[in-house]
Amino acid sequence: MSTTPRVSSAIAGEPAHFGSVLAHHPQLAERFTHLYGKFWDSDVLSARLKEVARMRNARVTECGFCRNVRFDKAIGEGLNETIVDDITEGYETSDNLTDTEKAVLKFTDALIHDPELLTGDARAALTRHLSPAQIAELGLGVTLFLALAKALITMGLEPEHMGRTELPTPAPAQAPS
Amino acid sequence: MSWLEKAPGARSPAEEFFGHRADLMEEFKAFYGTLWDEAVLDPALLEMIRLAVARVHRCDAELAIRHEASGLSDAKRAALANWRSSDLFSDSERVCLAYAERIPFEHTAITDAEAEAVKDALGEAGYVAFSVAGSLFDAMCRVRMVMALEPVQGDALHPPASAKGVLR
C-alpha cells in the first residue's frame, strides 16, 4: 500500500489529500462535500452509530487515515476509545458495545466484506434495533465510507504517520450548483 | 426480493432501499450521477469499468443495468467476460480493466506501476475520476448484494444514476 500520493493536489498550495485531489473535478468534489455533510448532519441515525460503522470499515479496508480520525459529534454522544478498541474481531462478545452497535457492525461487515454474514438472525437483530430509515441511512453511510477508503488507498493518500486526530464533524456546505 | 420493506414512491430496487431516506438519496444521486451527468470519463469506459467490477462480484443486479447510451458497443459488452483474449479492446482499456478488477478484493495490493499505467492512459484528472468511480461501483455492488436488491427491469437507455433521474 502506497503512502506516497499517486496524484497531485488540484488546489494551489495544498498538499494532496482527498479534497484537494477530488478538486480535479470541482462538481464531483462539491457534491461529495454536500452529501457527506448532509449525511453527518442527519440525526435519523446517531453520529455514534455512524462512527462505529466507519471505524469498522477503516479496520477492514486498512484505511489508516479513516482509522485515526474521530468526528467530534460521535465523541459528544459518548463514543470513547474503550469502545473503539472493541471494534475488532470478536466484537460480538464485547461488554462495551451495545446490542444495537453489534447489529450495526454485523451489517457493516456484511456490506464491506461478505453479504452472507447477514444471516436471518443478524437481519432480525438489525430490524429489531433500527427502523428502515435508519438502515437506509446506515447503508448509504457504509457505501460512502467504503468508497472513500478505497479511493484514498488506491490514490496513495494514506498517511505515513498519523496519530488519533479529532476533527469537526462534516457539515452541509452551500447547496451545490 | 429485498428483506427490507419497500420505500414508498420508489422507481427502482435501489430506490426501494435508499428511498427510506429520500432527501439523502437525492443528494447521493446528484453526487453519483455526476459521473455521467458531467462525463468525468468517457461514458463507454465508465460502463466497462462498472461492468468489470460487477463481474468480479457476480452481482446480477448491477450487471442487469445497461447504460446503452454510453456508447459501449454490443460487441465489446459481450466480449467483456473475455477481454484479455479479445482483440476488441485497446491497450488503454486493458490497463483500466485489469486495475478495475483489483478494486473489489485487492485494493491494497495495487502497485505504483499499475496506477501509473492508468494515469498514462487517462491523465491525472482521469485517474482521479477512475479511482472514485471504481470504488463507488464496488460499493454499489456490495450494497445491492447485502440488501438482496432485485435486478432492475427495462428502461435500459439511462445511466445508473443522474441528478434528475432514477437511481438504478
Coordinates of all heavy atoms in Angstrom, one line a residue, chain A residues 1-2 6-8 21-22 24-25 27-28 31-32 34-35 38-39 42 44 61-62 107 110-113 115 118 123 126-127 132-133 135-137 139-140 143-144 146-147 150-151 153-155, chain B residues 3-5 17-18 20-21 24 27-28 30-31 34-35 37-38 40 99 103-105 107-108 110-112 115 119 124-129 131-132 135-136 138-140 142-143 145-148 163:
Chain A
M1 N 0.9 -1.2 0.0 CA 0.0 0.0 0.0 C 0.9 1.2 0.0 O 1.8 1.4 0.8 CB -0.9 0.0 1.2 CG -1.9 1.1 1.2 SD -3.2 1.0 2.5 CE -2.9 -0.4 3.5
S2 N 0.6 2.1 -0.9 CA 1.5 3.3 -1.1 C 1.1 4.4 -0.1 O -0.1 4.7 0.1 CB 1.4 3.9 -2.5 OG 2.1 5.1 -2.6
R6 N -0.2 9.3 -5.4 CA -0.1 8.9 -6.8 C -0.7 10.0 -7.7 O -0.6 9.9 -9.0 CB -0.8 7.6 -7.1 CG -0.1 6.4 -6.4 CD -0.9 5.2 -6.4 NE -0.1 4.0 -6.0 CZ -0.6 2.8 -5.6 NH1 -1.9 2.7 -5.5 NH2 0.2 1.9 -5.2
V7 N -1.3 11.0 -7.1 CA -1.9 12.1 -7.8 C -1.6 13.4 -7.1 O -1.3 13.4 -5.9 CB -3.4 12.0 -8.0 CG1 -3.8 11.1 -9.1 CG2 -4.1 11.6 -6.7
S8 N -1.6 14.5 -7.8 CA -1.3 15.8 -7.2 C -2.5 16.6 -6.8 O -3.6 16.3 -7.3 CB -0.4 16.6 -8.1 OG -1.2 16.9 -9.3
V21 N -7.4 16.5 -4.1 CA -7.3 15.7 -5.3 C -8.6 15.6 -6.1 O -8.7 15.7 -7.3 CB -6.8 14.3 -4.9 CG1 -7.1 13.3 -5.9 CG2 -5.3 14.3 -4.5
L22 N -9.7 15.5 -5.3 CA -11.0 15.4 -5.9 C -11.3 16.8 -6.6 O -12.1 16.8 -7.5 CB -12.1 15.1 -4.9 CG -13.4 14.6 -5.4 CD1 -13.3 13.3 -6.2 CD2 -14.4 14.4 -4.2
H24 N -9.8 18.1 -8.8 CA -9.6 18.0 -10.3 C -11.0 17.9 -11.0 O -11.0 18.2 -12.2 CB -8.8 16.7 -10.6 CG -7.4 16.8 -10.3 ND1 -6.5 17.5 -11.2 CD2 -6.6 16.2 -9.4 CE1 -5.3 17.4 -10.7 NE2 -5.3 16.6 -9.6
H25 N -12.0 17.6 -10.2 CA -13.4 17.5 -10.8 C -14.2 18.4 -9.8 O -14.9 17.8 -8.9 CB -13.9 16.1 -10.9 CG -13.1 15.3 -11.8 ND1 -13.2 15.3 -13.2 CD2 -12.1 14.4 -11.6 CE1 -12.4 14.5 -13.7 NE2 -11.6 13.9 -12.8
Q27 N -17.2 19.7 -9.7 CA -18.6 19.4 -9.4 C -18.6 18.1 -8.5 O -19.5 18.0 -7.6 CB -19.4 19.3 -10.6 CG -19.7 20.6 -11.2 CD -21.0 20.7 -12.0 OE1 -21.1 20.0 -12.9 NE2 -21.9 21.5 -11.5
L28 N -17.8 17.1 -8.8 CA -17.8 15.9 -8.1 C -17.4 16.2 -6.6 O -18.0 15.7 -5.7 CB -16.7 15.0 -8.7 CG -16.9 13.5 -8.4 CD1 -18.2 12.9 -8.9 CD2 -15.7 12.7 -9.1
R31 N -20.3 18.2 -4.8 CA -21.5 17.3 -4.5 C -21.1 16.3 -3.4 O -22.0 15.9 -2.6 CB -22.0 16.7 -5.8 CG -22.7 17.7 -6.6 CD -23.1 17.2 -8.0 NE -23.8 18.3 -8.7 CZ -24.1 18.2 -10.0 NH1 -23.9 17.1 -10.6 NH2 -24.7 19.2 -10.6
F32 N -19.9 15.8 -3.4 CA -19.5 14.9 -2.4 C -19.5 15.6 -1.0 O -20.0 15.1 0.0 CB -18.1 14.3 -2.6 CG -17.6 13.5 -1.4 CD1 -18.2 12.2 -1.2 CD2 -16.8 14.0 -0.5 CE1 -17.8 11.5 -0.1 CE2 -16.4 13.3 0.6 CZ -16.9 12.0 0.8
H34 N -21.1 18.2 -0.1 CA -22.5 18.5 0.3 C -23.2 17.2 0.9 O -23.8 17.2 1.9 CB -23.3 19.1 -0.8 CG -24.6 19.6 -0.5 ND1 -24.8 20.8 0.3 CD2 -25.9 19.2 -0.7 CE1 -26.0 21.0 0.5 NE2 -26.7 20.1 -0.1
L35 N -23.1 16.1 0.1 CA -23.7 14.9 0.5 C -23.2 14.4 1.9 O -23.9 14.0 2.8 CB -23.4 13.8 -0.6 CG -23.7 12.3 -0.2 CD1 -25.2 12.1 0.1 CD2 -23.2 11.4 -1.3
K38 N -24.4 16.5 4.7 CA -25.9 16.3 5.0 C -26.0 14.9 5.7 O -26.9 14.8 6.6 CB -26.7 16.2 3.7 CG -26.8 17.6 3.0 CD -27.9 18.4 3.5 CE -29.2 18.0 2.8 NZ -30.3 19.0 3.1
F39 N -25.2 13.9 5.3 CA -25.3 12.6 5.9 C -24.9 12.7 7.4 O -25.7 12.2 8.3 CB -24.3 11.7 5.2 CG -24.1 10.4 6.0 CD1 -25.0 9.4 6.1 CD2 -22.9 10.2 6.7 CE1 -24.8 8.2 6.8 CE2 -22.6 9.1 7.4 CZ -23.6 8.1 7.5
S42 N -27.6 14.6 9.6 CA -28.8 14.0 9.9 C -28.7 13.2 11.2 O -27.7 12.5 11.5 CB -29.2 13.0 8.8 OG -30.2 12.1 9.2
V44 N -31.2 11.0 12.0 CA -32.1 9.8 11.9 C -31.3 8.6 12.5 O -31.9 7.8 13.3 CB -32.5 9.6 10.5 CG1 -33.1 8.2 10.3 CG2 -33.4 10.7 10.0
T61 N -10.9 -2.3 5.7 CA -10.3 -1.8 4.5 C -8.8 -1.4 4.6 O -8.1 -1.2 3.7 CB -11.0 -0.6 3.9 OG1 -11.0 0.4 4.8 CG2 -12.4 -1.0 3.5
E62 N -8.3 -1.4 5.9 CA -7.0 -1.0 6.2 C -6.7 0.5 5.8 O -5.6 0.8 5.4 CB -5.9 -1.9 5.6 CG -6.1 -3.3 6.0 CD -5.1 -4.2 5.3 OE1 -3.9 -3.9 5.3 OE2 -5.5 -5.3 4.7
F107 N -24.0 -5.7 10.1 CA -24.4 -5.2 8.8 C -23.2 -4.6 8.0 O -23.1 -4.8 6.8 CB -25.5 -4.1 9.0 CG -25.9 -3.5 7.7 CD1 -26.9 -4.1 6.9 CD2 -25.4 -2.2 7.3 CE1 -27.3 -3.5 5.7 CE2 -25.8 -1.6 6.1 CZ -26.7 -2.2 5.3
A110 N -21.1 -7.3 6.7 CA -21.7 -7.9 5.5 C -21.6 -7.1 4.3 O -21.4 -7.6 3.2 CB -23.2 -8.2 5.8
L111 N -21.8 -5.8 4.4 CA -21.7 -4.9 3.2 C -20.3 -4.8 2.7 O -20.0 -4.9 1.5 CB -22.2 -3.5 3.6 CG -22.7 -2.7 2.4 CD1 -23.7 -1.6 2.8 CD2 -21.5 -2.0 1.7
I112 N -19.3 -4.6 3.6 CA -17.9 -4.4 3.1 C -17.1 -5.6 2.9 O -16.1 -5.6 2.2 CB -17.2 -3.4 4.0 CG1 -16.9 -4.0 5.4 CG2 -17.9 -2.1 4.1 CD1 -16.2 -3.1 6.3
H113 N -17.6 -6.7 3.4 CA -16.8 -8.0 3.3 C -17.5 -9.1 2.7 O -17.1 -9.7 1.7 CB -16.3 -8.3 4.8 CG -15.5 -9.5 4.8 ND1 -14.3 -9.7 4.0 CD2 -15.6 -10.7 5.5 CE1 -13.8 -10.9 4.3 NE2 -14.5 -11.5 5.2
P115 N -21.6 -10.6 2.1 CA -23.1 -10.5 2.4 C -23.7 -11.7 3.1 O -24.7 -11.5 3.7 CB -23.7 -10.3 0.9 CG -22.6 -10.7 0.0 CD -21.3 -10.5 0.7
L118 N -24.8 -11.6 6.8 CA -26.1 -11.1 7.3 C -27.1 -12.2 7.3 O -28.0 -12.2 6.5 CB -26.6 -9.8 6.5 CG -27.5 -8.9 7.3 CD1 -26.8 -8.2 8.5 CD2 -28.1 -7.9 6.3
R123 N -30.2 -10.2 10.4 CA -31.2 -9.3 9.9 C -32.3 -9.0 10.9 O -32.7 -7.8 11.0 CB -31.9 -10.0 8.7 CG -31.0 -10.0 7.4 CD -31.8 -10.7 6.3 NE -31.0 -11.0 5.2 CZ -31.4 -11.6 4.1 NH1 -32.6 -12.1 4.1 NH2 -30.6 -11.8 3.1
L126 N -30.9 -6.5 13.3 CA -30.8 -5.2 12.8 C -32.2 -4.5 12.7 O -32.4 -3.4 13.1 CB -30.2 -5.3 11.3 CG -29.8 -4.0 10.7 CD1 -28.6 -3.4 11.4 CD2 -29.5 -4.2 9.2
T127 N -33.2 -5.3 12.2 CA -34.5 -4.7 12.1 C -35.2 -4.5 13.4 O -36.2 -3.7 13.6 CB -35.4 -5.5 11.1 OG1 -35.4 -6.9 11.6 CG2 -34.9 -5.4 9.7
P132 N -36.4 1.1 9.2 CA -36.0 1.1 7.8 C -35.2 2.4 7.4 O -34.2 2.4 6.7 CB -37.3 1.0 7.0 CG -38.2 0.2 7.9 CD -37.9 0.7 9.3
A133 N -35.7 3.6 7.9 CA -35.0 4.8 7.6 C -33.6 4.8 8.1 O -32.6 5.3 7.5 CB -35.8 6.0 8.1
I135 N -31.8 2.1 8.7 CA -31.0 1.1 8.0 C -30.5 1.7 6.6 O -29.4 1.5 6.2 CB -31.8 -0.2 7.8 CG1 -32.0 -0.9 9.1 CG2 -31.0 -1.2 6.8 CD1 -33.0 -2.1 9.1
A136 N -31.4 2.5 6.0 CA -31.1 3.1 4.7 C -30.0 4.1 4.9 O -29.0 4.2 4.1 CB -32.3 3.8 4.1
E137 N -30.1 4.9 6.0 CA -29.0 5.9 6.3 C -27.7 5.2 6.6 O -26.6 5.6 6.1 CB -29.4 6.8 7.5 CG -28.5 8.0 7.6 CD -29.2 9.1 8.4 OE1 -30.3 9.5 8.0 OE2 -28.6 9.6 9.4
G139 N -26.8 2.2 5.4 CA -26.4 1.6 4.2 C -25.7 2.7 3.3 O -24.7 2.4 2.7
L140 N -26.3 3.9 3.2 CA -25.7 4.9 2.5 C -24.3 5.3 3.1 O -23.3 5.5 2.3 CB -26.6 6.2 2.4 CG -26.0 7.4 1.7 CD1 -25.7 7.1 0.3 CD2 -26.9 8.6 1.9
T143 N -21.7 2.7 2.4 CA -21.3 2.8 0.9 C -20.3 3.9 0.7 O -19.3 3.7 0.0 CB -22.6 3.1 0.1 OG1 -23.5 2.0 0.3 CG2 -22.3 3.2 -1.4
L144 N -20.6 5.0 1.3 CA -19.6 6.2 1.2 C -18.3 5.9 1.9 O -17.2 6.2 1.4 CB -20.3 7.4 1.7 CG -21.5 8.0 1.0 CD1 -22.1 9.2 1.7 CD2 -21.1 8.3 -0.5
L146 N -16.8 3.1 2.5 CA -16.1 2.1 1.8 C -15.5 2.7 0.5 O -14.3 2.5 0.2 CB -17.0 0.9 1.4 CG -16.4 -0.2 0.5 CD1 -15.3 -0.9 1.3 CD2 -17.4 -1.2 0.1
A147 N -16.3 3.4 -0.2 CA -15.7 4.0 -1.5 C -14.7 5.0 -1.2 O -13.6 5.1 -1.8 CB -16.9 4.7 -2.3
K150 N -11.4 3.2 -0.1 CA -10.7 2.5 -1.3 C -10.1 3.6 -2.2 O -9.0 3.4 -2.7 CB -11.6 1.6 -2.0 CG -11.9 0.3 -1.2 CD -12.5 -0.8 -2.1 CE -12.6 -2.1 -1.3 NZ -13.1 -3.2 -2.0
A151 N -10.8 4.7 -2.4 CA -10.3 5.7 -3.3 C -9.0 6.3 -2.6 O -8.0 6.6 -3.3 CB -11.3 6.8 -3.5
I153 N -6.9 4.9 -0.5 CA -5.8 3.9 -0.6 C -5.3 3.8 -2.0 O -4.0 3.8 -2.2 CB -6.3 2.5 0.0 CG1 -6.6 2.6 1.5 CG2 -5.3 1.4 -0.3 CD1 -7.3 1.5 2.1
T154 N -6.1 3.6 -2.9 CA -5.6 3.4 -4.3 C -4.9 4.6 -4.9 O -4.0 4.5 -5.7 CB -6.7 2.9 -5.3 OG1 -7.8 3.9 -5.2 CG2 -7.3 1.6 -4.8
M155 N -5.3 5.8 -4.4 CA -4.6 7.0 -4.9 C -3.4 7.4 -4.1 O -2.8 8.4 -4.3 CB -5.6 8.2 -5.0 CG -6.7 8.0 -6.1 SD -7.6 9.5 -6.4 CE -8.7 9.6 -5.0
Chain B
W3 N -35.0 -8.0 1.8 CA -35.6 -8.4 3.1 C -36.2 -7.2 3.8 O -36.8 -7.3 4.9 CB -34.6 -9.1 3.9 CG -33.2 -8.4 3.9 CD1 -32.2 -8.6 3.1 CD2 -32.8 -7.4 4.8 NE1 -31.1 -7.8 3.4 CE2 -31.5 -7.1 4.5 CE3 -33.4 -6.7 5.9 CZ2 -30.7 -6.1 5.1 CZ3 -32.6 -5.8 6.6 CH2 -31.3 -5.5 6.2
L4 N -36.0 -6.0 3.3 CA -36.5 -4.8 3.9 C -37.7 -4.3 3.1 O -37.8 -4.3 1.9 CB -35.4 -3.7 3.9 CG -35.6 -2.5 4.9 CD1 -35.5 -2.9 6.3 CD2 -34.6 -1.4 4.6
E5 N -38.7 -3.8 3.9 CA -39.9 -3.3 3.2 C -39.5 -2.2 2.2 O -38.5 -1.5 2.4 CB -40.8 -2.7 4.2 CG -40.3 -1.5 5.0 CD -41.2 -1.1 6.1 OE1 -41.3 -1.8 7.1 OE2 -41.8 0.0 6.0
F17 N -34.7 0.8 -1.4 CA -33.9 0.8 -0.2 C -33.5 2.3 0.2 O -33.9 2.8 1.2 CB -32.6 0.0 -0.4 CG -31.7 0.1 0.7 CD1 -32.1 -0.2 2.0 CD2 -30.3 0.4 0.5 CE1 -31.2 -0.1 3.1 CE2 -29.4 0.4 1.6 CZ -29.9 0.2 2.9
F18 N -32.8 3.0 -0.7 CA -32.3 4.3 -0.3 C -33.4 5.3 -0.1 O -33.3 6.3 0.6 CB -31.3 4.8 -1.3 CG -30.0 4.1 -1.3 CD1 -29.6 3.3 -2.4 CD2 -29.1 4.2 -0.2 CE1 -28.3 2.7 -2.4 CE2 -27.9 3.5 -0.2 CZ -27.5 2.8 -1.3
H20 N -35.9 5.2 1.6 CA -36.3 5.4 3.0 C -35.7 6.6 3.6 O -36.1 7.1 4.7 CB -35.9 4.1 3.9 CG -36.7 2.9 3.7 ND1 -38.1 2.9 4.0 CD2 -36.5 1.7 3.1 CE1 -38.6 1.7 3.7 NE2 -37.6 1.0 3.1
R21 N -34.6 7.1 3.0 CA -34.0 8.4 3.4 C -34.0 9.3 2.1 O -32.9 9.5 1.5 CB -32.6 8.2 3.9 CG -32.6 7.6 5.3 CD -33.3 8.5 6.4 NE -32.5 9.7 6.7 CZ -32.8 10.9 6.4 NH1 -34.0 11.2 5.7 NH2 -32.0 11.9 6.7
L24 N -31.6 12.3 1.5 CA -30.2 11.9 1.3 C -30.0 11.2 0.0 O -29.0 11.3 -0.6 CB -29.7 11.0 2.5 CG -29.5 11.7 3.8 CD1 -29.1 10.6 4.9 CD2 -28.4 12.8 3.7
E27 N -29.4 13.6 -2.7 CA -28.0 14.2 -2.7 C -27.1 13.1 -3.2 O -26.1 13.4 -3.9 CB -27.6 14.5 -1.2 CG -28.5 15.6 -0.5 CD -28.4 16.9 -1.2 OE1 -27.5 17.2 -2.0 OE2 -29.2 17.8 -0.8
F28 N -27.3 11.8 -2.9 CA -26.5 10.8 -3.4 C -26.6 10.7 -4.9 O -25.6 10.5 -5.6 CB -26.8 9.4 -2.7 CG -26.0 8.3 -3.2 CD1 -24.6 8.3 -3.0 CD2 -26.5 7.3 -4.0 CE1 -23.8 7.2 -3.5 CE2 -25.7 6.2 -4.5 CZ -24.4 6.2 -4.2
A30 N -27.2 13.0 -6.9 CA -26.5 14.2 -7.5 C -25.0 13.9 -7.6 O -24.4 14.2 -8.5 CB -26.8 15.5 -6.7
F31 N -24.5 13.3 -6.5 CA -23.1 13.0 -6.4 C -22.7 11.9 -7.4 O -21.9 12.0 -8.3 CB -22.7 12.7 -5.0 CG -21.3 12.0 -4.9 CD1 -20.2 12.7 -5.3 CD2 -21.2 10.7 -4.3 CE1 -18.9 12.1 -5.2 CE2 -20.0 10.1 -4.2 CZ -18.8 10.8 -4.6
T34 N -23.0 12.5 -11.0 CA -22.0 13.4 -11.6 C -21.1 12.6 -12.6 O -20.6 13.2 -13.6 CB -21.2 14.1 -10.6 OG1 -22.1 14.8 -9.7 CG2 -20.2 15.1 -11.2
L35 N -20.9 11.4 -12.2 CA -20.0 10.5 -13.1 C -20.5 10.5 -14.5 O -19.7 10.5 -15.5 CB -20.0 9.1 -12.6 CG -19.4 8.9 -11.2 CD1 -19.4 7.4 -10.8 CD2 -17.9 9.3 -11.1
D37 N -23.5 12.6 -15.5 CA -24.1 14.0 -15.9 C -23.0 14.9 -16.4 O -23.2 15.7 -17.3 CB -24.7 14.6 -14.7 CG -26.0 13.9 -14.3 OD1 -26.5 13.1 -15.1 OD2 -26.5 14.1 -13.1
E38 N -21.8 14.8 -15.8 CA -20.7 15.7 -16.2 C -19.6 15.0 -17.0 O -18.6 15.6 -17.3 CB -20.0 16.2 -14.9 CG -20.9 17.0 -14.0 CD -21.5 18.2 -14.7 OE1 -20.8 18.9 -15.4 OE2 -22.7 18.5 -14.4
V40 N -17.3 12.8 -16.5 CA -16.0 12.9 -16.0 C -15.0 11.9 -16.6 O -13.8 12.1 -16.5 CB -15.9 12.7 -14.4 CG1 -16.8 13.8 -13.7 CG2 -16.4 11.4 -14.0
Y99 N -6.9 -3.0 -13.8 CA -6.9 -2.3 -12.5 C -8.3 -2.4 -11.8 O -8.4 -2.7 -10.6 CB -6.6 -0.9 -12.8 CG -6.3 0.0 -11.6 CD1 -5.1 0.6 -11.3 CD2 -7.4 0.4 -10.8 CE1 -4.9 1.5 -10.3 CE2 -7.2 1.3 -9.7 CZ -5.9 1.8 -9.5 OH -5.7 2.7 -8.4
I103 N -10.0 -3.8 -7.7 CA -10.6 -2.9 -6.7 C -11.5 -3.7 -5.6 O -11.3 -3.5 -4.4 CB -11.4 -1.8 -7.3 CG1 -10.5 -0.8 -8.0 CG2 -12.3 -1.0 -6.3 CD1 -11.2 0.3 -8.9
P104 N -12.3 -4.6 -6.1 CA -13.2 -5.3 -5.1 C -12.5 -6.0 -3.9 O -12.9 -5.9 -2.8 CB -14.0 -6.2 -5.9 CG -14.1 -5.6 -7.3 CD -12.7 -5.0 -7.4
F105 N -11.4 -6.8 -4.3 CA -10.8 -7.6 -3.2 C -9.3 -7.4 -3.1 O -8.7 -8.1 -2.2 CB -11.1 -9.1 -3.5 CG -12.6 -9.4 -3.5 CD1 -13.3 -9.5 -4.6 CD2 -13.2 -9.5 -2.2 CE1 -14.7 -9.8 -4.6 CE2 -14.6 -9.8 -2.2 CZ -15.3 -9.9 -3.4
H107 N -7.6 -4.1 -3.3 CA -7.3 -2.7 -3.4 C -6.0 -2.3 -2.7 O -5.3 -1.4 -3.2 CB -8.5 -1.9 -2.8 CG -8.7 -2.0 -1.4 ND1 -9.3 -3.1 -0.8 CD2 -8.3 -1.2 -0.3 CE1 -9.3 -3.0 0.5 NE2 -8.8 -1.8 0.8
T108 N -5.6 -3.0 -1.7 CA -4.3 -2.6 -1.0 C -3.1 -3.2 -1.8 O -2.0 -2.8 -1.5 CB -4.3 -3.2 0.4 OG1 -4.4 -4.6 0.4 CG2 -5.4 -2.6 1.3
I110 N -2.7 -3.0 -5.1 CA -2.5 -2.3 -6.4 C -1.1 -1.5 -6.3 O -0.9 -0.8 -5.4 CB -3.7 -1.3 -6.7 CG1 -4.9 -2.1 -7.0 CG2 -3.3 -0.3 -7.9 CD1 -6.2 -1.3 -7.1
T111 N -0.3 -1.7 -7.3 CA 1.0 -1.2 -7.3 C 1.1 0.2 -7.9 O 0.2 0.6 -8.7 CB 2.0 -2.1 -8.1 OG1 1.6 -2.1 -9.5 CG2 1.9 -3.5 -7.5
D112 N 2.3 0.9 -7.6 CA 2.5 2.1 -8.3 C 2.5 2.0 -9.8 O 2.1 2.9 -10.5 CB 3.9 2.7 -7.8 CG 3.9 3.1 -6.3 OD1 2.8 3.4 -5.8 OD2 5.0 3.2 -5.8
A115 N -1.0 1.9 -11.1 CA -1.6 3.2 -11.0 C -1.0 4.2 -12.1 O -1.7 4.9 -12.8 CB -1.3 3.8 -9.7
K119 N -2.8 6.2 -15.1 CA -2.6 7.7 -15.2 C -2.1 8.0 -16.6 O -2.5 9.0 -17.2 CB -1.6 8.1 -14.2 CG -2.2 9.0 -13.1 CD -1.3 9.2 -12.0 CE 0.0 9.9 -12.3 NZ 0.8 10.2 -11.1
E124 N -4.0 12.7 -15.2 CA -4.2 12.7 -13.8 C -5.6 12.9 -13.3 O -6.1 12.2 -12.5 CB -3.3 13.8 -13.2 CG -3.2 13.8 -11.7 CD -2.0 14.6 -11.2 OE1 -2.0 15.8 -11.6 OE2 -1.2 14.1 -10.5
A125 N -6.3 13.8 -13.9 CA -7.7 14.0 -13.6 C -8.6 12.8 -13.9 O -9.5 12.4 -13.2 CB -8.3 15.3 -14.3
G126 N -8.2 12.2 -15.0 CA -8.9 10.9 -15.4 C -8.7 9.8 -14.4 O -9.6 9.1 -14.1
Y127 N -7.5 9.7 -13.9 CA -7.2 8.7 -12.9 C -8.0 9.0 -11.6 O -8.5 8.0 -11.0 CB -5.7 8.7 -12.6 CG -5.3 7.7 -11.5 CD1 -5.5 6.4 -11.6 CD2 -4.8 8.2 -10.3 CE1 -5.1 5.5 -10.6 CE2 -4.5 7.3 -9.3 CZ -4.6 6.0 -9.4 OH -4.3 5.1 -8.4
V128 N -8.1 10.2 -11.2 CA -8.9 10.5 -10.0 C -10.4 10.1 -10.2 O -11.0 9.4 -9.4 CB -8.9 12.0 -9.7 CG1 -9.8 12.4 -8.6 CG2 -7.4 12.4 -9.3
A129 N -10.9 10.4 -11.4 CA -12.3 10.0 -11.7 C -12.4 8.5 -11.7 O -13.4 8.0 -11.2 CB -12.8 10.7 -13.0
S131 N -10.6 6.3 -10.1 CA -10.5 5.7 -8.8 C -11.8 5.9 -8.0 O -12.2 5.0 -7.3 CB -9.3 6.4 -8.0 OG -8.1 6.3 -8.7
V132 N -12.4 7.1 -8.1 CA -13.6 7.3 -7.4 C -14.7 6.5 -8.0 O -15.5 5.8 -7.2 CB -14.0 8.8 -7.4 CG1 -15.4 9.1 -6.9 CG2 -13.0 9.7 -6.7
S135 N -14.3 2.7 -7.1 CA -14.7 2.5 -5.7 C -16.2 2.6 -5.4 O -16.7 1.8 -4.6 CB -13.9 3.5 -4.8 OG -12.5 3.4 -5.0
L136 N -16.8 3.5 -6.1 CA -18.3 3.6 -6.0 C -19.0 2.4 -6.6 O -20.0 1.8 -6.0 CB -18.8 4.9 -6.6 CG -18.6 6.1 -5.7 CD1 -18.9 7.4 -6.6 CD2 -19.6 6.1 -4.5
D138 N -17.8 -0.6 -6.8 CA -17.6 -1.7 -5.9 C -18.6 -1.6 -4.7 O -19.3 -2.6 -4.4 CB -16.2 -1.7 -5.4 CG -15.9 -2.6 -4.2 OD1 -16.1 -3.8 -4.4 OD2 -15.5 -2.1 -3.1
A139 N -18.7 -0.4 -4.2 CA -19.6 -0.3 -3.0 C -21.1 -0.5 -3.4 O -21.9 -1.1 -2.6 CB -19.4 1.1 -2.4
M140 N -21.4 0.0 -4.6 CA -22.8 -0.2 -5.0 C -23.2 -1.7 -5.3 O -24.3 -2.1 -4.9 CB -23.1 0.6 -6.3 CG -23.3 2.1 -6.1 SD -24.6 2.5 -4.9 CE -26.1 2.1 -5.9
R142 N -21.8 -4.1 -3.6 CA -21.9 -4.7 -2.3 C -23.3 -4.3 -1.6 O -23.9 -5.2 -0.9 CB -20.7 -4.2 -1.5 CG -19.4 -4.8 -1.9 CD -18.2 -4.2 -1.2 NE -17.0 -4.7 -1.6 CZ -16.4 -5.9 -1.3 NH1 -17.1 -6.7 -0.4 NH2 -15.3 -6.3 -1.7
V143 N -23.7 -3.1 -1.8 CA -25.0 -2.8 -1.1 C -26.1 -3.5 -1.8 O -27.1 -3.9 -1.1 CB -25.2 -1.2 -1.1 CG1 -25.7 -0.6 -2.4 CG2 -26.1 -0.8 0.0
M145 N -26.0 -6.4 -3.1 CA -26.0 -7.8 -2.6 C -26.4 -8.0 -1.2 O -27.2 -8.9 -0.9 CB -24.6 -8.4 -2.9 CG -24.3 -8.6 -4.3 SD -22.8 -9.5 -4.7 CE -21.5 -8.4 -4.0
V146 N -26.0 -7.1 -0.3 CA -26.3 -7.3 1.1 C -27.8 -7.0 1.3 O -28.4 -7.6 2.2 CB -25.4 -6.4 2.0 CG1 -25.9 -5.0 2.0 CG2 -25.4 -7.0 3.4
M147 N -28.4 -6.1 0.5 CA -29.8 -5.8 0.6 C -30.7 -6.7 -0.3 O -31.9 -6.6 -0.3 CB -30.1 -4.4 0.3 CG -29.5 -3.3 1.2 SD -29.8 -3.6 2.9 CE -31.6 -3.6 3.0
A148 N -30.0 -7.6 -1.0 CA -30.7 -8.5 -1.9 C -31.6 -7.8 -2.9 O -32.8 -8.1 -3.0 CB -31.5 -9.6 -1.1
A163 N -28.6 13.2 -11.5 CA -29.2 14.1 -10.5 C -30.7 14.2 -10.7 O -31.4 14.3 -9.7 CB -28.5 15.5 -10.7

